[in-house]
Amino acid sequence: MTRQRILAVAAALFAERGYRATSMQEIADRVGITKAALYYHFAAKEDVLHELTGPVLDELEQALNEAEAAGDPETVRWRAIEAFLDVHLRHRDTLLMLVRDMTLLVQAPVADRFRAAIALANTLVSGPRPALAQRVRAAQVVAGLADPVVLFRDVPPARLRRLILDGVRTLLAAEDPAAGGVPEPGTPRRAGGRPAALTAADAQEVRRLRETGRLGVDELADRYGVSRATIYRVLKTR
């Protein structure tokens, strides 16, 4: 119990003051124990950091490895995107702590694992044999998954997840304007209401999510901002 209390207090202090600006004495004082008692549980401040970041890195690496094993490039891409986002949403406080003290992502030993995870996510999102444009777009997508989690940390996770994935779909749809991506300048937009159709990539993802039983028709319609009839048409079309 004391060990978990130490970790919770340390995470709060690191997020509030920064890792390097927080001393072991301050952690002990906030927990309400002596410094000697703190050192009984953790030999150094670095050990506290490793225990706080370890679960995030373990989950992130496992989730991306599972996504990579999916086979189909489009399925790999979306599983990687959702896995990367979900891990960050589950560990918002730790992510905030790291961003609060950016030197941790550059100099600390954990930095190598974070960089490797981000590099793998970029590779999975960009797909096989990507051109430079696809690699740049993938980097934009991956960065756009983590940054809003910190910037909008007061937004409920479910709502923020939906909004972030909406933005990702917009970015990726722009890769193929013929599939309904971002229109060319000057193209008239539909006035209000829900979109009349889904992009080819979204349609494929809708079928996958429905077949796996992860989402119902109403949830899919809400997630993609279309009518239930549109979802039913996509599910009947192969």
Side-chain angles (χ1 to χ4, degrees):
M1 183 66 71
T2 300
R3 189 178 182 88
Q4 293 306 312
R5 172 67 178 155
I6 291 170
L7 290 171
V9 167
L13 283 171
F14 292 165
E16 174 187 330
R17 296 172 48 79
Y19 169 77
R20 301 191 185 283
T22 300
S23 69
M24 290 290 272
Q25 184 65 62
E26 287 173 310
I27 295 173
D29 291 344
R30 182 77 66 92
V31 175
I33 59 177
T34 66
K35 191 174 181 181
L38 175 59
Y39 277 112
Y40 171 80
H41 292 281
F42 295 97
K45 190 169 65 169
E46 289 79 5
D47 295 334
V48 179
L49 176 66
H50 282 299
E51 188 142 346
L52 287 171
T53 56
V56 186
L57 288 162
D58 291 343
E59 285 185 37
L60 192 55
E61 290 166 354
Q62 179 180 347
L64 291 174
N65 288 334
E66 290 175 355
E68 187 175 17
D72 172 67
E74 193 63 19
T75 302
V76 168
R77 166 186 274 184
W78 279 101
R79 287 188 181 177
I81 288 170
E82 293 186 350
F84 194 92
L85 174 58
D86 289 341
V87 170
H88 282 74
L89 285 170
R90 281 196 297 274
H91 297 278
R92 293 170 101 171
D93 291 342
T94 302
L95 185 62
L96 175 60
M97 173 193 75
L98 292 168
V99 172
R100 174 68 178 76
D101 198 336
M102 291 297 290
T103 57
L104 297 178
L105 295 175
V106 178
Q107 300 173 3
V110 297
D112 289 339
R113 288 183 69 187
F114 270 108
R115 281 194 292 266
I118 292 170
L120 176 56
N122 286 340
T123 297
L124 300 182
V125 174
S126 61
R129 298 179 298 280
L132 177 59
Q134 280 71 51
R135 291 165 57 199
V136 169
R137 186 63 47 80
Q140 289 176 302
V141 166
V142 173
L145 293 172
D147 290 354
V149 174
V150 173
L151 291 172
F152 304 101
R153 57 186 178 275
D154 295 328
V155 177
R159 184 183 182 198
L160 186 58
R161 184 184 193 275
R162 184 172 64 252
L163 292 172
I164 291 172
L165 290 176
D166 285 346
V168 169
R169 281 189 286 272
T170 299
L171 271 173
L172 293 179
E175 290 181 351
D176 184 8
V182 176
E184 292 294 328
T187 302
R189 296 176 177 268
R190 294 177 68 246
R194 292 173 175 245
L198 295 169
T199 67
D202 283 349
Q204 180 179 346
E205 182 66 2
V206 163
R207 296 188 193 102
R208 183 186 71 80
L209 290 171
R210 189 70 186 102
E211 287 171 357
T212 59
R214 293 177 62 184
L215 295 176
V217 171
D218 288 337
E219 293 169 303
L220 288 166
D222 181 64
R223 178 171 182 168
Y224 286 88
V226 297
S227 67
R228 295 172 77 251
T230 298
I231 297 296
Y232 280 120
R233 281 197 298 271
V234 166
L235 294 175
K236 290 178 182 178
T237 304
R238 292 284 175 179

